[in-house]
Amino acid sequence: MSRTPLPFRLGAKGAMLLVVAAVIASGGSGDRLRSADEAAGGGVIEGVVVYEYDSERPWRYARYYVQNQKTGELSEAVVCLTDKSLRSLNRRREPEQAEMDQKDYRFQPETLAVRAGDSVKFTNSDPAAHNVRTDDGADPFNVSMGADGSHVQQFRRAGGVKRPIRIGCALHSTMRAWIFVFDHPFYAVTSTDGAFRFEDVPPGEYNISMVHPSGDLEWTGTVEVSRDETSELEIRVSPDNLVKENR
């Protein structure tokens, strides 16, 4: 597996010291303290999320999120690793800003995934007034904006795959969106090809989850990662994966 060269390389002792320091700074005991070798490189997880049709149990959202009924690639699915030990990696980076527009009386995109500390810029491309609000997370907000208006909101704390920030418009009750906030870099929201890819994952076995917040689908599994190798995964979901209360 080819990788972009780093501007410098730590020795084994230096890498181990960084891993230990990250665990101590986070206050954790190191759920699965990784070796210096694991911190220095990893493998790749790549795959696709596919929806399997069942003519006897039609999924009403399929027409919105599955473009090809024969192949079934599912868009707007959130895929992520869920192990608590990933927090100890503490891969620092500058906060980033994603965007979510209000256009044609819909949030676009309706599903976002960001890192804790990132911001989202909400915009309004409709001629009518809109609103962006939530009661979820550490910093609930309620902001109205006219045509061409915007609002930037930071999301400081991670809720992971289980506690997304549910976004709505107080002026138009049918408008809804979800923002997932993670404390590690191994997450993705699928596009129309249903694909996802995680790079530089430390070797080991991980729990992996998929949720489709709009369509009420969920799936969990495990994946094994080896150094400098690619682990391929096909996540297949069907009406059996509907959240129980919505089956």
Side-chain angles (χ1 to χ4, degrees):
M1 181 182 68
S2 61
R3 299 179 61 203
T4 303
L6 294 174
F8 62 88
R9 185 176 297 277
L10 291 173
K13 291 184 178 179
M16 176 61 80
L17 287 173
L18 283 181
V19 174
V20 173
V23 173
I24 294 173
S26 66
S29 59
D31 298 321
R32 247 174 23 190
L33 182 60
R34 302 188 182 280
S35 69
D37 287 341
E38 288 174 328
V44 171
I45 302 172
E46 67 178 18
V48 63
V49 183
V50 174
Y51 180 77
E52 296 180 320
Y53 280 86
D54 184 334
S55 59
E56 296 183 357
R57 296 179 296 169
W59 183 47
R60 59 176 177 161
Y61 296 107
R63 62 188 177 124
Y64 301 113
Y65 303 108
V66 181
Q67 288 194 350
N68 189 323
Q69 184 172 346
K70 292 183 179 179
T71 54
E73 293 88 354
L74 181 63
S75 66
E76 301 275 353
V78 179
V79 184
C80 65
L81 302 184
T82 58
D83 293 57
K84 293 181 179 178
S85 61
L86 294 171
R87 283 181 264 178
S88 66
L89 293 178
N90 197 24
R91 296 182 178 176
R92 296 185 179 278
R93 64 166 176 69
E94 290 297 316
E96 298 179 357
Q97 181 173 284
E99 293 190 5
M100 179 176 282
D101 194 16
Q102 295 170 100
K103 185 177 181 180
D104 299 328
Y105 294 87
R106 295 176 52 205
F107 286 105
Q108 300 184 25
E110 67 177 18
T111 308
L112 279 177
V114 300
R115 286 279 294 276
D118 287 352
S119 299
V120 174
K121 182 178 181 180
F122 297 94
T123 56
N124 179 9
S125 294
D126 281 335
H130 278 304
N131 170 275
V132 180
R133 66 174 303 276
T134 186
D135 294 323
D136 298 333
D139 302 293
F141 58 93
N142 189 332
V143 179
S144 294
M145 61 183 76
D148 297 322
S150 65
H151 170 71
V152 176
Q153 181 71 34
Q154 185 182 41
F155 295 87
R156 299 182 296 117
R157 296 181 184 175
V161 72
K162 294 295 186 181
R163 298 190 301 278
I165 307 296
R166 296 166 297 178
I167 303 294
C169 173
L171 304 178
H172 306 98
S173 60
T174 59
M175 294 177 62
R176 58 180 186 165
W178 295 263
I179 298 176
F180 291 78
V181 186
F182 294 95
D183 53 13
H184 63 75
F186 305 118
Y187 58 85
V189 180
T190 62
S191 186
T192 54
D193 61 1
F196 61 91
R197 179 181 174 91
F198 307 141
E199 298 182 347
D200 294 327
V201 183
E205 185 179 72
Y206 294 92
N207 295 311
I208 184 168
S209 294
M210 187 286 306
V211 297
H212 195 284
S214 178
D216 295 316
L217 295 168
E218 59 183 17
W219 174 96
T220 58
T222 59
V223 60
E224 184 76 26
V225 178
S226 299
R227 178 185 304 284
D228 297 330
E229 294 186 7
T230 297
S231 300
E232 297 184 348
L233 182 65
E234 185 177 66
I235 298 175
R236 303 191 72 87
V237 294
S238 71
D240 291 333
N241 296 95
L242 284 167
V243 179
K244 290 184 179 180
E245 57 265 28
N246 294 310
R247 289 182 180 175

